[in-house]
């Protein structure tokens, strides 16, 4: 089932999300719905607060971003992350223009570190600890921020932040059009 995506201004997006256990009601269905919702909106990641649940769950599919002409050997991932904790971030910072399904029509360069080490549970509640880099790390960092209550627009440089202020206010008021269903304040 495709779920409405909570828009900028919804308090749930600013809350630090809680851990869940494997008895969380309807978890399998929720994960299925999150994949469906993400693909419908042509996203590469979606975090539970974006569909109104303040829990530490997000999904990432960077396989879609793989570029045939890209000669790097980095492979995309398709993965469910539950109760994730980033243990360390390493390497040089690099800028990349990010966007967010909760904040349509706004993009901006965010500086993030190259590599992360993260501990999480997969959808079968198997604990994993892995290192991700490049675009995989980037998308995980963006989704991870969601479960910490942080939005990418807060990480933009001051000038860019000022420039998008009015647009953000418009989104808050529901004055934006997206190709998918959204839930405004
Ligand atoms: Zn986002």
């Amino acid at each position: 089932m495709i779920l409405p995506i909570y828009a900028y201004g919804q308090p749930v997006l600013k809350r630090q999300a809680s851990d869940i256990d494997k008895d969380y009601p309807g978890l399998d269905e929720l994960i299925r719905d999150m994949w469906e919702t993400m693909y419908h909106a042509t996203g590469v990641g979606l975090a539970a607060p974006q569909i109104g649940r303040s829990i530490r769950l997000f999904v990432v599919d960077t396989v879609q971003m793989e570029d045939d002409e890209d000669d790097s050997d980095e492979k995309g991932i398709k993965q469910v992350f539950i109760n994730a904790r980033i243990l360390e971030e390493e390497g040089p910072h690099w800028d990349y223009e990010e966007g967010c399904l909760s904040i349509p029509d706004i993009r901006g360069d965010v500086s993030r570190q190259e590599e992360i080490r993260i501990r999480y549970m997969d959808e079968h509640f198997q604990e994993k600890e892995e290192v991700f880099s490049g675009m995989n790390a980037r998308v995980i960092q963006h989704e991870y921020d969601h479960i910490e209550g942080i939005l990418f627009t807060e990480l933009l440089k001051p000038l860019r932040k000022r420039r998008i202020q009015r647009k953000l206010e418009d989104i808050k008021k529901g004055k934006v059009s997206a190709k998918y269903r959204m839930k405004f304040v």
Side-chain angles (χ1 to χ4, degrees):
M1 185 172 63
I2 295 166
L3 305 167
I5 293 178
Y6 280 53
Y8 178 87
Q10 288 277 9
V12 67
L13 295 174
K14 287 305 300 156
R15 233 174 266 152
Q16 192 180 34
S18 309
D19 282 341
I20 55 169
D21 57 38
K22 59 178 184 306
D23 301 320
Y24 186 82
L27 182 59
D28 290 346
E29 196 186 347
L30 176 62
I31 291 170
R32 268 200 308 277
D33 289 348
M34 283 178 64
W35 284 125
E36 199 183 344
T37 302
M38 185 192 84
Y39 289 125
H40 174 74
T42 60
V44 293
L46 184 72
Q50 295 182 276
I51 47 105
R53 303 229 198 177
S54 192
I55 58 174
R56 296 183 82 84
L57 163 64
F58 59 86
V59 297
V60 169
D61 180 355
T62 53
V63 178
Q64 316 172 77
M65 300 174 88
E66 274 176 25
D67 181 353
D68 294 339
E69 278 151 43
D70 187 356
D71 52 4
S72 75
D73 50 9
E74 188 187 286
K75 285 263 167 275
I77 54 160
K78 181 180 171 176
Q79 183 69 58
V80 176
F81 293 83
I82 298 170
N83 299 347
R85 294 284 186 285
I86 288 181
L87 305 175
E88 36 182 359
E89 295 189 283
E90 279 186 347
H93 284 80
W94 61 295
D95 278 2
Y96 184 80
E97 191 181 62
E98 297 189 14
C100 180
L101 296 178
S102 293
I103 315 174
D105 285 347
I106 295 182
R107 304 189 66 81
D109 279 347
V110 177
S111 168
R112 297 189 190 272
Q113 274 186 282
E114 233 273 316
E115 193 177 284
I116 57 164
R117 175 183 297 277
I118 188 168
R119 186 182 295 153
Y120 66 97
M121 309 280 192
D122 67 10
E123 64 271 46
H124 311 296
F125 271 82
Q126 298 294 311
E127 190 178 85
K128 302 200 169 183
E129 192 177 311
E130 278 179 278
V131 172
F132 295 100
S133 61
M135 199 52 78
N136 291 335
R138 160 87 45 184
V139 177
I140 292 168
Q141 285 160 321
H142 177 111
E143 300 311 325
Y144 185 84
D145 278 349
H146 275 300
I147 62 170
E148 291 289 318
I150 300 163
L151 299 170
F152 86 95
T153 44
E154 296 161 42
L155 307 176
L156 300 172
K157 288 166 188 83
L159 180 64
R160 181 84 186 119
K161 247 189 213 167
R162 280 201 297 281
R163 289 215 167 123
I164 62 167
Q165 210 47 52
R166 188 174 300 165
K167 257 181 151 179
L168 285 177
E169 289 305 316
D170 282 348
I171 297 174
K172 236 186 216 175
K173 295 178 198 143
K175 286 199 277 183
V176 69
S177 68
K179 291 192 181 74
Y180 44 89
R181 199 148 62 90
M182 298 197 77
K183 202 173 156 110
F184 299 95
V185 183

